[in-house]
Structures are given as C-alpha cells and as structure tokens.
C-alpha cells in the first residue's frame, strides 16, 4: 500500500469521505454537482498512477452532496495504460483509508445483451474478471482484508434494491446484468463478443471489475453501474470508437446525473 500517497492527501485535507465515487468515460461532469471542499490532481500525489485517457480529468474532488461526504475520482486509472492491476486499484484503497466505507463505480460499456440499447443504464449485479489479472496478486494488504476473500456477493444487495427504488423516483428505467472486464485498449472482435455472451455477460468494458474486487476485499460496500454507450462488436454493422462513447455519454449525462444524485442522497450515512 502506498502510504506516501495517503500521507500527502492528509497533508492537504483532513476531509473524511463516507462514499467513494468513480466516474467513467464521459461522466466526469457529475462532479460539478458537489459542493467542493478540496481538489487534488493525481499528478501531485507521490507514487500515484495518472490517467492518460481523453475525457478523464485525473483528479480527486472532495465535497458534499445532499449531506453525504464524497471523494470523487474524476477520471480513473486503467490496467491497459500499462499499470499493474494492483496499481490501478490504488485509488480505491486510498478511498478506504481516507474513510469511505461505500464505493460507487460507474463506467461506459458496450452492450452485449441484444435487448439493450445505447443510452440504457445497467446495474451491475455480478462480474466476470477472468481475462485480467486479479488486483490481489502479490503480498496481501493485511490492513485491508484477508488473503483469500470470498467473492460470492461483490455487489451489495441492499444498494441494488435502493437503486431500483431511486430509478422509480426519477422515472428512469434500469437494466440489470453481468459486466465483463477485458484488458483493452482495443475493442473486442465479434467472435470475442460471442464468447462473452456465451459466458453470460450482458455488458463489456475495460475497467471496474478489478476495482470492485479490491473494494470488496477491503470490506467496502460496492455498487456498480454501466452506461451502455454502444452495442458491442458484431451486433450492429458499425465500427467502434472512443469518440462515439463520449458522445453517447454526454447525451445521457443529465439522466444519469439525476438518478445518481437521488441514489447518493438516500444511501445511509
């Protein structure tokens, strides 16, 4: 565990968040809803991995929303950027050490389930992470969790039920399904998407599962949500691009933000 990173943040702020929030591609504008207390750029934190992806600002925002204290990652770090899986989940572990006991993971994902459409919001009720290294490989972080953590229920059932209620409150339909993380940065081939469907995946992306594993290992409550920005390779006869992902995320940002704000303010303090 990088205690230099923790010590640096504590030298800047003593703010103790209750909830960690990771904003995926094109969803960073949600951070503007917070009453900001402090902003720390990743590049200023000793030994901290820096996001290099367009659309990811690369900073922690500490602030309040509806009486809840948050630390928000405006831009995440990805395994495909050349970091080890254990390095890519350092921000999640820092959130835990800073005080957060709940984490909300969001992402932009490709739809594998053919009943999905671009713009759909999907609650992640389980994931498949077998195609990327576990972030728990290496010496166990004993201060965070056990050597062999159970993964029977990574995504908190009470938070999932709360999400369903909040969706009704703001008149937003939600899908539910299994998310599969592949390594990236290339998009998948049609044959790979057929494989993912056979394995039971409903949406595919290049993040989130390893973060959820690290958070669950550390005893955090985990909630995950995918914004379906495009249909995965081979479903539609359309080439895939990151620009398409950002455009679709921008189009859904208001609806996504309305739901997410309602959800956050109803999480138990």
């Amino acid at each position: 565990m990088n205690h230099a990173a923790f010590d640096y943040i504590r030298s800047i702020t003593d703010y103790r968040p209750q909830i960690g929030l990771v904003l995926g591609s094109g969803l960073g504008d949600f951070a503007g809803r917070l009453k900001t207390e402090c902003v720390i750029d990743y590049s200023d934190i000793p030994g901290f991995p820096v996001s290099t992806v367009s659309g990811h600002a690369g900073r922690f925002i500490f602030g309040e929303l509806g009486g809840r204290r948050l630390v928000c990652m405006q831009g995440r770090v990805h395994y495909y950027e050349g970091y080890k899986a254990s390095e890519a989940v350092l921000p999640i572990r820092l959130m835990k050490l800073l005080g957060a006991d709940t984490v909300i993971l969001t992402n932009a994902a490709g739809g594998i389930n053919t009943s999905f459409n671009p713009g759909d919001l999907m609650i992640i009720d389980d994931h498949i992470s077998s195609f990327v290294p576990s972030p728990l490989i290496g010496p166990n972080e004993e201060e965070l969790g056990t050597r062999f953590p159970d993964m029977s229920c990574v995504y908190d059932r009470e938070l999932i039920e709360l999400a369903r209620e909040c969706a009704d409150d703001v008149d937003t339909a939600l899908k539910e399904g299994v998310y599969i993380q592949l390594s990236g940065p290339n998009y998948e081939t049609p044959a790979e998407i057929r494989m993912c469907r056979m394995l039971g995946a409903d949406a595919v992306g290049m993040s989130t599962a390893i973060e959820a594993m690290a958070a669950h290992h550390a005893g955090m409550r985990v909630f995950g949500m995918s914004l379906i920005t495009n249909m995965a390779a081979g479903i539609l006869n359309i080439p895939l691009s990151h620009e398409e992902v950002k455009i679709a995320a921008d189009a859904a940002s208001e609806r996504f933000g309305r739901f997410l704000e309602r959800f956050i303010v109803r999480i138990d303090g």
Side-chain angles (χ1 to χ4, degrees):
M1 184 64 211
N2 184 348
H3 286 282
F6 173 80
D7 292 341
Y8 176 79
I9 292 174
R10 275 288 170 254
S11 75
I12 302 296
T13 180
D14 60 0
Y15 195 81
R16 290 188 61 83
Q18 300 161 297
I19 300 169
L21 172 62
V22 180
L23 296 172
S25 294
L27 302 173
D29 287 349
F30 181 84
R33 296 176 182 246
L34 275 62
K35 180 182 178 183
T36 301
E37 294 285 338
C38 179
V39 178
I40 300 177
D41 290 340
Y42 300 159
S43 58
D44 292 337
I45 303 174
F48 197 87
V50 177
S51 176
T52 61
V53 183
S54 173
H56 289 250
R59 58 185 184 173
F60 278 127
I61 300 177
F62 295 83
E64 184 177 305
L65 180 67
R68 302 293 182 264
R69 300 188 306 276
L70 275 73
V71 54
C72 175
M73 284 188 72
Q74 196 177 33
R76 61 159 37 93
V77 178
H78 299 83
Y79 171 66
Y80 64 70
E81 294 175 85
Y83 299 109
K84 296 178 182 177
S86 58
E87 293 172 327
V89 302
L90 172 61
I92 304 299
R93 289 171 164 163
L94 271 176
M95 288 176 168
K96 171 67 175 182
L97 293 179
L98 291 168
D101 61 9
T102 299
V103 66
I104 300 169
L105 306 171
T106 72
N107 62 53
I112 295 174
N113 188 321
T114 55
S115 71
F116 289 1
N117 293 294
D120 284 347
L121 297 176
M122 186 194 86
I123 294 172
I124 301 174
D125 59 24
D126 205 348
H127 72 234
I128 298 169
S129 63
S130 303
F131 296 92
V132 289
S134 169
L136 308 180
I137 290 173
N140 185 48
E141 300 286 353
E142 295 291 341
E143 64 189 303
L144 295 175
T146 182
R147 169 79 281 186
F148 301 107
D150 175 57
M151 293 285 160
S152 299
C153 188
V154 175
Y155 299 90
D156 189 272
R157 298 295 113 181
E158 292 182 1
L159 292 178
I160 288 175
E161 181 55 36
L162 177 62
R164 294 173 184 141
E165 295 173 10
C166 292
D168 291 337
D169 292 345
V170 296
D171 194 28
T172 296
L174 296 181
K175 305 290 189 179
E176 298 185 28
V178 175
Y179 176 90
I180 186 168
Q181 179 176 351
L182 300 183
S183 68
N186 54 283
Y187 290 106
E188 303 75 30
T189 67
E192 288 168 336
I193 293 302
R194 291 194 298 272
M195 174 194 69
C196 292
R197 185 181 296 114
M198 292 175 66
L199 292 174
D202 296 287
V204 60
M206 306 173 189
S207 66
T208 304
I210 60 172
E211 297 165 345
M213 292 168 69
H216 188 65
H217 170 252
M220 302 175 81
R221 294 193 298 169
V222 180
F223 178 78
M225 172 161 282
S226 295
L227 168 60
I228 306 301
T229 52
N230 57 277
M231 299 309 293
I235 297 177
L236 301 176
N237 189 26
I238 301 173
L240 305 182
S241 72
H242 187 59
E243 188 61 31
E244 173 193 24
V245 168
K246 291 192 291 182
I247 291 171
D250 289 344
S253 62
E254 176 58 31
R255 181 166 49 88
F256 169 85
R258 192 168 62 248
F259 161 78
L260 192 55
E261 181 170 351
R262 178 65 174 167
F263 177 69
I264 287 170
V265 301
R266 289 195 56 192
I267 293 175
D268 292 337

